[in-house]
Amino acid sequence: MHFISQELEDYIEQHSEKEPALLAALNKETYQKILLPRMLSGHFQGRVLSMLSKLIRPMNILEIGTYTGYSALCLCEGMRKNGQLHTIDIKEELVDFQRKHFDKSSWGKQIVQHLGEATAIIPTLELQFDLVFIDADKENYLNYFEMIVPKMNKGGVILSDNVLWSGKVLEPLQTNDVSTKVLQAYNQLLKNDPRIETVLLPIRDGLTVSRVL
């Protein structure tokens, strides 16, 4: 996931907005108690998500893939006063951990947790979204995109994480590597789909910003 030196990454963090105390505590507890803590968005990407949300000023946000809730709280920072964030995850063991930190924030009552398969839950959400963050199983990225585009408001933004996949998108494709194959197809779709305009940012493991036309 690291395409630049650790020293340069440290410099970038030092010259970006400071990580809020609540998120720093969530970051620390994730590393202490939860498996695969590198899945956390972290300080720099979190500030990018926060800034994008503040620029968009969304009413309704959808997050596909919650993990421990760090990115959800970052996205809430730009949410309108009466807005909602709906977040979907398949891991039941993380629900209480997420909720504990959500309720410590200013947005606890505005965050709706959904437990289960996102492909089953998304069709039940009778909302139009201004901002969507896709950060779940890579094999379903194409499916998620097709399911959420009709639920996007014009001018809404779809953020897609891990689209560089540790550089594997440039490597010869292995026969059994489904995730990389899907991400290659997904990146091509985002580039060519006439319903959106897209820029791929080399932030951490790759973050695509797609604006719905």
Side-chain angles (χ1 to χ4, degrees):
M1 291 172 63
H2 296 276
F3 300 105
I4 61 175
S5 70
Q6 186 62 54
E7 292 78 12
L8 198 51
E9 286 192 3
D10 291 342
Y11 182 88
I12 290 168
E13 287 194 3
Q14 292 162 9
H15 292 81
S16 297
E17 285 296 309
K18 185 177 179 181
E19 184 179 40
L22 174 64
L23 291 174
L26 172 52
N27 193 333
K28 182 178 180 180
E29 189 172 353
T30 297
Y31 272 83
Q32 289 174 335
K33 299 179 179 179
I34 307 298
L35 292 173
L36 302 174
R38 70 194 294 267
M39 291 173 58
L40 193 89
S41 289
H43 175 192
F44 174 58
Q45 185 173 359
R47 291 305 86 205
V48 172
L49 296 177
S50 168
M51 182 67 76
L52 289 171
S53 184
K54 288 170 181 174
L55 292 170
I56 296 164
R57 297 294 296 151
M59 176 61 75
N60 292 318
I61 306 171
L62 174 62
E63 179 183 55
I64 305 172
T66 315
Y67 190 48
T68 56
Y70 190 101
S71 54
L73 290 171
C74 293
L75 295 169
C76 281
E77 292 180 32
M79 184 169 60
R80 294 184 208 172
K81 184 177 180 180
N82 298 319
Q84 278 193 333
L85 181 143
H86 290 256
T87 186
I88 305 171
D89 204 280
I90 198 170
K91 294 183 179 179
E92 185 175 1
E93 66 271 19
L94 292 179
V95 171
D96 291 341
F97 186 97
Q98 298 159 5
R99 178 47 60 185
K100 178 180 72 172
H101 290 279
F102 290 160
D103 287 343
K104 289 180 181 178
S105 76
S106 304
W107 311 284
K109 294 181 181 179
Q110 295 168 263
I111 301 174
V112 182
Q113 293 165 283
H114 299 271
L115 178 64
E117 296 281 354
T119 51
I121 293 169
I122 293 170
T124 70
L125 301 177
E126 297 181 358
L127 293 167
Q128 291 295 115
F129 295 98
D130 305 298
L131 178 59
V132 173
F133 183 41
I134 305 175
D135 186 18
D137 56 311
K138 311 313 163 193
E139 293 88 345
N140 269 310
Y141 266 37
L142 292 164
N143 294 327
Y144 296 148
F145 179 79
E146 294 297 347
M147 295 176 83
I148 63 176
V149 167
K151 294 180 176 290
M152 296 296 298
N153 286 321
K154 184 176 180 180
V157 172
I158 301 169
L159 305 174
S160 308
D161 201 15
N162 304 117
V163 292
L164 293 180
W165 207 223
S166 299
K168 291 182 182 179
V169 290
L170 287 179
E171 297 172 0
L173 185 64
Q174 303 297 313
T175 306
N176 61 346
D177 189 350
V178 177
S179 295
T180 301
K181 182 178 180 180
V182 171
L183 283 172
Q184 289 174 335
Y186 183 71
N187 291 339
Q188 196 63 41
L189 170 65
L190 296 188
K191 174 64 171 64
N192 296 328
D193 195 306
R195 296 172 292 181
I196 58 173
E197 57 181 354
T198 290
V199 61
L200 198 165
L201 305 176
I203 294 172
R204 288 190 81 226
D205 199 22
L207 179 70
T208 301
V209 181
S210 304
R211 178 177 174 270
V212 178
L213 301 175

